[in-house]
Amino acid sequence: MARALINVPPKAKRGELIEIKTLISHNMETGFRPDNTGKPVPRDIITEFVCKYNGEEIFRAELFPAIAANPFLTFFTIATESGTLNFEWTGDNGFSASESVNITVE
Amino acid sequence: MREDHIAPATRRRFLIDTAALAGAAGLGLSLAIRPASATPASMRAAIRRVVGEASVKKGRLKIDLPPLIENGNAVPLTVAAESPMTADNYVKAIHVFTEKNPQPNVISVQLGPRAGRATFATRIRLADSQKVIAIAEMNDGSFWSDEIEVIVTLAACLEGV
C-alpha cells in the first residue's frame, strides 16, 4: 500500500478554519513518456481523491497526468465536531488507498 | 536534412504503436489521434466542456504560480477563490487548464460550504512555457477565471525514461 502522509491539527476550536495537507507516494506515470524502445509508458496515475468528515464529503479532486509525482494536496475545512476525517485515493490499475485521522473539536 | 527524415518516421511509428496499444487495451481510437500537445484550441474545448454556454468573467479567483520555473516536473500551484463559503454563496468547483501540456486538464476540485475557504494547493507538471487558466464555478452558476503566463526552463512530461 502506498505511503500517505496526512497533516490535520489534532485539536481545534468549534468553527475554526483548519488546513489539511495530504501527500501520497505514487509516481503518476503520465502515459506520454517514451521508454527506451520509443513506445509510450502506459499511463498509471491517481485519478480521484475524496476527503470525508464524519462521512460527509468536504473535498473531492479529479487528478490528471499534469499532477506531479507523489500528489500533494492542501485544502481547508471548518472544524464542526469531533470525529474522523477519511481520505481516499483511487486510480489506474485498481489503485486504491485510504487513511483516517481523528480530530478533537472543543 | 537527415534529421528531417527521422522526425516523421519516429512520429509515424509512434502513432502506429499508439494505435496498436489502444487497440490492445480496448481504449478506442481516441488515443491514436491524441495530439502531441494540447493547443489553445483544445484548451478552449476543454473549458467549454466544463462551462457549457455560460460566459466566463475575469476575477474573484487568483492563481499563485512562480512566473519563472526552473523545473516543470513539480511546480507549486495555489488557487484561491474569493467567496464567503456560506450555505447560499459558495464555490462549487475549481478547474485548472494549461495550453501546451499533452492534455489541457490539470485538476478539477469540488468544494462546498463545508470547505470554509475556497483555496487549494498542489504540485503540477508543466511541459512548456505557457498560459495556465483557472476557472471557478459558483453555486449561482456563474464562472470566474484567472490566467497567468509562466516561463518553464526544464520541461516535464515528454522526456524519455
Side-chain angles (χ1 to χ4, degrees), chain B residues 24-75:
Chain B
L27 290 174
L29 266 173
S30 62
L31 272 173
I33 55 167
R34 184 171 60 195
S37 78
T39 58
S42 70
M43 179 176 74
R44 277 199 299 276
I47 291 173
R48 266 303 140 224
R49 275 200 295 279
V50 168
V51 305
E53 293 305 307
S55 67
V56 179
K57 292 177 279 260
K58 288 246 161 81
R60 290 185 70 178
L61 187 67
K62 195 167 180 330
I63 303 178
D64 194 359
L65 199 63
L68 180 65
I69 294 152
E70 271 182 33
N71 184 344
N73 279 304
V75 187

Side-chain angles (χ1 to χ4, degrees), chain A residues 17 27-28 30 32-34 37 53 56 60-69 72-74 76-78 80, chain B residues 13 34 73 101-103 105-111 114-117 120-125 157 159-161:
Chain A
L17 189 69
N27 65 359
M28 295 292 277
T30 61
F32 298 104
R33 296 192 311 154
T37 62
Y53 190 152
E56 191 189 340
R60 173 186 289 268
E62 191 187 347
L63 309 182
F64 291 89
I67 297 298
F72 164 77
L73 272 169
T74 64
F76 293 86
T77 192
I78 293 170
T80 49
Chain B
R13 223 188 72 208
R34 184 171 60 195
N73 279 304
N101 273 12
Q103 278 183 343
N105 299 72
V106 176
I107 188 169
S108 293
V109 306
Q110 313 281 326
L111 302 159
R114 288 288 304 269
R117 181 184 290 173
F120 75 92
T122 184
R123 295 191 197 117
I124 66 170
R125 291 180 170 132
C157 306
E159 84 282 18
V161 176

